[in-house]
Every structure is written in structure tokens, then in C-alpha cells.
């Protein structure tokens, strides 16, 4: 497994892979890898002959008061985990390799970048889209793998790829959860035992909505209310948003008719967590 820290090295390795006619898959991450990330690597291995994993804690997607400085960076153990999964290359640039030129060019996806997490974290998706566009240019993957865990991010990436004609297929992978239902996240490491217990309210709120949906409720406001009520019972969990939206436009829906995204974000202590579920009419 090669570890590349410069764009020039990474380009050379990827060009060789393509010259050998091997299908190249990319899994972009911020490191601190858990089973959720590794599921993306496995999906990439199953689909592509060569797999590149990027590890980059992208400064431009963090707000000034967010956790960029304290974000976990266990690089050695990440490398060991990726070696075990059979990744071919890790691209782990320093911030000044990616942002060296005092750039003033950004990618924003108007109409989507401000929704859900983009609403609570101004500039977040501008940072994400800019770095993902850069990674696509450096690695030039045929397929890029992203987790359904970040459902809004997935919608914004799909739109960017469509609008800017990136020659890459976007593959989404299901949310990997702990045995008790908590969605795996690198930020779960911040939680105390008490917070860890409280964090289960996110998944519980989504399950409540699913239950109401299966019971026949189709009114989005009523469904959202049933989920919010679960979170309101955990006073230490501060709701950021609880929304029922179209998974492509991220716009609100009044009634659940087709594929619909139920997304939640909440602070458990100082830690912001997200989770979601997709509702499907049976037969879809
Ligand atoms: P991150 O390192 O948090 O930027 O995540 C890198 C990729 O892993 C993103 O595409 C995430 O959606 C995905 N991911 C993170 N957590 C999970 C999870 N629990 N299940 C599936 N994919 C995940």
C-alpha cells in the first residue's frame, strides 16, 4: 500500500493505475476510521480493481468555533486498518498541499449548500464541495464511495457531479451502526458514557417516525412531530434540525409519497451528531 502526501505523487500513482486499465475507486475520509468507513472501502474493493482512500481533515469545511483542532487524527492505526482492508493507496496531504496558493475559487451548489447541515454550518458544504472537486481532479476515480450517513452531503455531491459533468459515478453505502443503533461517527469518541447513552435518542427519534409511517401516517409535519417529541424527552440533547425532505433537492415535503429523507442533527453536550433514515413506500 502506497502512502502519498503530495498531489504530484498521488497523480503519478493514479495515472499508472489507469494506464494498467484498472478501474479506480476513491473513498474520501477525514480519517479516525471506524467500521462505517471500512464498509465503504469494502464496497470499493468489491467494485474496483484499485482503491484509493484519502485522509484529509479539511479545514475549510469547519466553522471557526468547530472542532477542527481537536478532530482525532490517529494516522498510524488508520494506515494499519486500510492495509488490512487491501487499499492500494492512501492520499494524506497536509493542508498547505491542498490550499497552498491563497485560492479564491470555491465550489458552491446553490439551493442545496444552505440546506440541512449547510444551514446550521454556514460555509460547510462550500468547503466540502471544493475539496471533493479537488480530490476528483487529483485522483480521477471512475467511482467514488460516500456514506448515506451524510445524506445531505451525498445530495450536494451528486448535484455537483451532474452540474459540472465530472466523469465519476457516485456510489452510496448504507449507514453502519453500533449494536445499540447509534450511527458510527468519528465524533462518537468525544462522548462521555452518559452522553453516549443520551445520543441513542437520535436513532430512537428516527425509529419513531418509521413506526408512525408504517402505521399509515403520511403527513410530514405529523411525522416530524413524532420524532421531535422523542428528542424533547432528552433535555440534555439540543435539537439542531429534524427535517423531512426530498433526498435530491433537500426541500421540505408536505406528504410522504415517494422516497423521502428523514434527517436529524442534535448536540449531545458539545458534540454535534447527525443521523437519518429513508422512508420508502412498499414496492419502491
Ligand atoms: P468522514 O470521515 O466523517 O468525512 O466520513 C467519510 C465517509 O464515510 C463519508 O462518505 C461518510 O458518509 C462515511 N461514513 C461516516 N460514518 C459512516 C457510517 N456510520 N456508515 C456509513 N458511512 C459512514
Amino acid at each position: 500500500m502506497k502512502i502519498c502526501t503530495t498531489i504530484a505523487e498521488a497523480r503519478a500513482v493514479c495515472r499508472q493505475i489507469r494506464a494498467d486499465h484498472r478501474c479506480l475507486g476513491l473513498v474520501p475520509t477525514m480519517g479516525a476510521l471506524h467500521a462505517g468507513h471500512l464498509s465503504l472501502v469494502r464496497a470499493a474493493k468489491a467494485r474496483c480493481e484499485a482503491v484509493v482512500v484519502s485522509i484529509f481533515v479539511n479545514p475549510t469545511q469547519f466553522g471557526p468555533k468547530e472542532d477542527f483542532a481537536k478532530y482525532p487524527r490517529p494516522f498510524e492505526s488508520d494506515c494499519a486498518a486500510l492495509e488490512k482492508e487491501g487499499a492500494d493507496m492512501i492520499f494524506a496531504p497536509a493542508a498547505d498541499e491542498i490550499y497552498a496558493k491563497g485560492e479564491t475559487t470555491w465550489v458552491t451548489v446553490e439551493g442545496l449548500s444552505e440546506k440541512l447541515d449547510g444551514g446550521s454550518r454556514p460555509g460547510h458544504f462550500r468547503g466540502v464541495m471544493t475539496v471533493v472537486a479537488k480530490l476528483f481532479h487529483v485522483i480521477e476515480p471512475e467511482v467514488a464511495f460516500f456514506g448515506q450517513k451524510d445524506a445531505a452531503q451525498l445530495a450536494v455531491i451528486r448535484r455537483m457531479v451532474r452540474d459540472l459533468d465530472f466523469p465519476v459515478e457516485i456510489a452510496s453505502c448504507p449507514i453502519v451502526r453500533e449494536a445499540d443503533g447509534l450511527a458510527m461517527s468519528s465524533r462518537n469518541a468525544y462522548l462521555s458514557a452518559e452522553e453516549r447513552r443520551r445520543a441513542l435518542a437520535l436513532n430512537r427519534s428516527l425509529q419513531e417516525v418509521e413506526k408512525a409511517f408504517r402505521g399509515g401516517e403520511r403527513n410530514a409535519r405529523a411525522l416530524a412531530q413524532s420524532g421531535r417529541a422523542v428528542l424533547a424527552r432528552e433535555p440534555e440533547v439540543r435539537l439542531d434540525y429534524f427535517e423531512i425532505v426530498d433526498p435530491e433537492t433537500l426541500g421540505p415535503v408536505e406528504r410522504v409519497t415517494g422516497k423521502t429523507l428523514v434527517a436529524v442533527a442534535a448536540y449531545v453536550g458539545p458534540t454535534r451528531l447527525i443521523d437519518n433514515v429513508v422512508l420508502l413506500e412498499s414496492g419502491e
Side-chain angles (χ1 to χ4, degrees):
M1 183 180 69
K2 291 202 168 61
I3 300 177
C4 298
T5 56
T6 67
I7 289 173
E9 276 176 291
R11 276 211 166 111
V13 172
C14 294
R15 291 214 163 121
Q16 188 55 54
I17 290 170
R18 274 190 304 279
D20 298 341
H21 303 292
R22 289 195 289 153
C23 171
L24 176 54
L26 170 66
V27 180
T29 81
M30 298 203 299
L33 303 179
H34 50 64
H37 297 112
L38 299 182
S39 76
L40 304 189
V41 178
R42 268 170 225 161
K45 288 285 292 179
R47 178 75 197 281
C48 303
E49 292 154 286
V51 174
V52 172
V53 179
S54 61
I55 297 182
F56 181 60
V57 185
N58 175 32
T60 63
Q61 71 187 66
F62 287 78
K65 295 195 180 122
E66 293 183 355
D67 56 342
F68 174 69
K70 77 163 183 179
Y71 198 86
R73 291 164 170 87
F75 187 64
E76 301 291 310
S77 59
D78 283 351
C79 289
L82 292 173
E83 175 108 64
K84 212 164 140 208
E85 293 296 333
D88 295 80
M89 195 250 269
I90 297 177
F91 179 45
D96 59 6
E97 177 70 7
I98 295 292
Y99 300 107
K101 304 173 288 290
E103 43 256 272
T104 52
T105 305
W106 299 96
V107 181
T108 54
V109 182
E110 288 178 14
L112 285 189
S113 281
E114 316 78 37
K115 301 233 167 75
L116 300 186
D117 307 282
S120 334
R121 305 178 68 188
H124 172 66
F125 283 132
R126 182 181 88 150
V128 173
M129 288 311 108
T130 302
V131 82
V132 169
K134 281 171 174 269
L135 289 170
F136 286 174
H137 285 313
V138 173
I139 306 298
E140 297 184 71
E142 269 163 276
V143 193
F145 296 80
F146 294 89
Q148 174 62 29
K149 158 92 188 319
D150 296 82
Q153 170 174 286
L154 201 48
V156 183
I157 289 170
R158 285 191 196 284
R159 180 69 66 86
M160 175 187 78
V161 163
R162 189 198 74 177
D163 289 356
L164 296 183
D165 304 304
F166 276 92
V168 59
E169 178 190 329
I170 302 302
S172 70
C173 301
I175 301 177
V176 177
R177 299 179 178 282
E178 304 283 358
D180 59 8
L182 181 68
M184 288 196 184
S185 163
S186 305
R187 290 190 168 97
N188 291 350
Y190 298 153
L191 303 173
S192 68
E194 183 60 24
E195 288 168 342
R196 171 74 182 67
R197 191 190 59 70
R198 292 191 170 124
L200 291 173
L202 275 83
N203 183 232
R204 267 207 313 278
S205 71
L206 297 171
Q207 283 178 359
E208 189 67 24
V209 173
E210 268 194 309
K211 198 171 99 193
F213 176 73
R214 280 197 304 272
E217 183 62 78
R218 292 294 181 270
N219 179 290
R221 190 187 293 250
L223 287 166
Q225 205 38 51
S226 67
R228 286 194 191 107
V230 172
L231 288 158
R233 288 201 290 274
E234 276 292 350
E236 305 295 325
V237 174
R238 187 163 58 82
L239 184 62
D240 177 0
Y241 65 71
F242 194 102
E243 291 197 35
I244 301 195
V245 298
D246 179 292
E248 278 179 31
T249 65
L250 304 180
V253 297
E254 276 180 28
R255 287 188 66 75
V256 177
T257 50
K259 194 176 171 192
T260 304
L261 174 68
V262 184
V264 60
Y267 290 89
V268 181
T271 306
R272 185 175 178 281
L273 300 176
I274 59 173
D275 199 351
N276 68 83
V277 71
V278 173
L279 303 178
L280 284 175
E281 287 286 3
S282 55
E284 275 189 82

